[in-house]
């Protein structure tokens, strides 16, 4: 079945540093979604990427979808303490309308 | 978020007892999902539903059953709880607007 791998598993940065998490799928994805989960909270939908090579920005967050639609990345510029949490990518199995999640990258920040 | 609630929020139960978790939504969404979250494993799909009485298995369905007799309720049952089922359980709905999932607040289940 479809597998989605995400690296790194953990990342600790100083406030103001940049952060990137990477997502790779074993199969071509119809689309990819990103979620953020604050400590003790539930995952919250951030964005969906659909097109090959697509790049979307949300303020300091930049999301990319690879040309082959098998990988994706999330880059945060100049991290702030509010960025703390776990970031998940998820690939959509469109036939069954179900998401397969990566293991997540837990971001911690030193103020 | 999007009218989705899970109950209970926390539960401690003994090995071998049955447990039912409830997910309730108020917006008539067709697709509902149960995931479990464990350290190092991310979110893994247990079961999902694509309509009343229409359900299917996910990647970690052993030891779990589900029922959906009404659009608004999706129940997850552990027939005979084991310690390996200690986890945080999240229900989610597919919101047609952007195909993103909206998650409930989760149920923390401890099996002792």
């Amino acid at each position: 079945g479809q597998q989605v791998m995400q690296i790194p598993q953990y990342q600790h940065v100083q406030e103001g540093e940049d952060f990137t998490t990477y997502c790779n799928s074993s199969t071509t994805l119809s689309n990819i979604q990103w979620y953020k989960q604050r400590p003790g909270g539930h995952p919250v939908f951030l964005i969906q990427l659909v097109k090959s090579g697509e790049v979307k920005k949300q303020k300091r967050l930049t999301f990319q979808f690879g040309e082959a639609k098998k990988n994706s990345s999330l880059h945060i510029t100049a991290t702030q303490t509010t960025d703390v949490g776990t970031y998940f990518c998820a690939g959509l199995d469109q036939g069954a309308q179900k998401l397969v999640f990566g293991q997540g990258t837990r971001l911690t920040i030193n103020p | 978020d999007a009218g989705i609630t899970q109950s209970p929020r926390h539960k401690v139960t003994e090995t071998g007892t049955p447990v039912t978790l409830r997910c309730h939504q108020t917006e008539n969404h067709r697709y509902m999902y149960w995931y479990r979250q464990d350290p190092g494993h991310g979110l893994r799909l247990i079961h999902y539903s694509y309509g009343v009485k229409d359900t299917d298995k996910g990647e970690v369905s052993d030891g779990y059953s589900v029922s959906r007799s009404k659009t608004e309720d999706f129940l997850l049952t552990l027939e005979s709880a084991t310690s390996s089922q200690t986890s945080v359980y999240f229900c989610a709905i597919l919101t047609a607007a952007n195909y993103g999932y909206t998650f409930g607040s989760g149920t923390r289940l401890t099996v002792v």
Side-chain angles (χ1 to χ4, degrees):
Chain A
Q2 184 181 68
Q3 289 187 325
V4 178
M5 306 299 293
Q6 195 173 349
I7 58 169
Q9 190 172 358
Y10 302 98
Q11 184 80 58
H12 180 76
V13 300
Q14 290 290 125
E15 187 174 15
E17 292 182 339
D18 292 356
F19 159 76
T20 304
T21 174
Y22 300 90
C23 187
N24 287 285
S25 170
S26 57
T27 59
T28 301
L29 300 167
S30 56
N31 64 45
I32 195 154
Q33 299 181 9
W34 285 90
Y35 291 77
K36 177 183 178 181
Q37 184 178 22
R38 295 183 185 274
H42 57 275
V44 174
F45 175 79
L46 294 177
I47 205 162
Q48 174 174 266
L49 304 173
V50 179
K51 299 177 183 176
S52 169
E54 188 169 14
V55 178
K56 287 189 176 180
K57 292 191 176 184
Q58 290 180 349
K59 297 183 181 178
R60 295 177 293 103
L61 277 61
T62 301
F63 304 85
Q64 293 189 315
F65 200 9
E67 293 290 340
K69 300 184 75 173
K70 295 183 74 173
N71 58 75
S72 182
S73 65
L74 158 60
H75 179 82
I76 302 178
T77 303
T79 55
Q80 299 175 358
T81 54
T82 53
D83 296 324
V84 163
T86 300
Y87 292 85
F88 293 96
C89 63
L92 180 66
D93 177 340
Q94 198 152 26
Q97 290 295 319
K98 58 182 181 179
L99 285 176
V100 177
F101 283 82
Q103 299 95 324
T105 296
R106 183 179 171 192
L107 173 64
T108 55
I109 297 174
N110 209 23
Chain B
D1 279 321
I4 179 171
T5 56
Q6 289 184 235
S7 58
R9 290 296 311 276
H10 302 271
K11 185 168 182 66
V12 180
T13 192
E14 292 187 348
T15 298
T17 60
V19 177
T20 295
L21 309 183
R22 180 182 184 234
C23 180
H24 178 78
Q25 56 134 334
T26 58
E27 297 188 356
N28 208 34
H29 293 288
R30 179 181 173 194
Y31 287 88
M32 299 183 75
Y33 308 83
W34 278 106
Y35 283 85
R36 61 178 287 175
Q37 184 173 34
D38 305 287
H41 291 278
L43 293 149
R44 293 181 291 173
L45 182 65
I46 306 171
H47 281 280
Y48 66 102
S49 170
Y50 45 96
V52 173
K53 292 188 169 58
D54 291 324
T55 65
D56 206 349
K57 296 178 180 180
E59 61 179 308
V60 291
S61 59
D62 287 349
Y64 301 95
S65 63
V66 290
S67 67
R68 192 164 178 203
S69 58
K70 300 184 289 185
T71 299
E72 57 266 36
D73 288 324
F74 192 30
L75 304 181
L76 176 70
T77 297
L78 290 66
E79 302 292 345
S80 177
T82 68
S83 58
S84 64
Q85 294 176 311
T86 292
S87 187
V88 180
Y89 291 85
F90 286 103
C91 175
I93 55 176
L94 175 65
T95 52
N98 58 16
Y99 289 97
Y101 283 14
T102 299
F103 283 84
S105 298
T107 294
R108 183 172 295 276
L109 177 68
T110 302
V111 183
V112 298

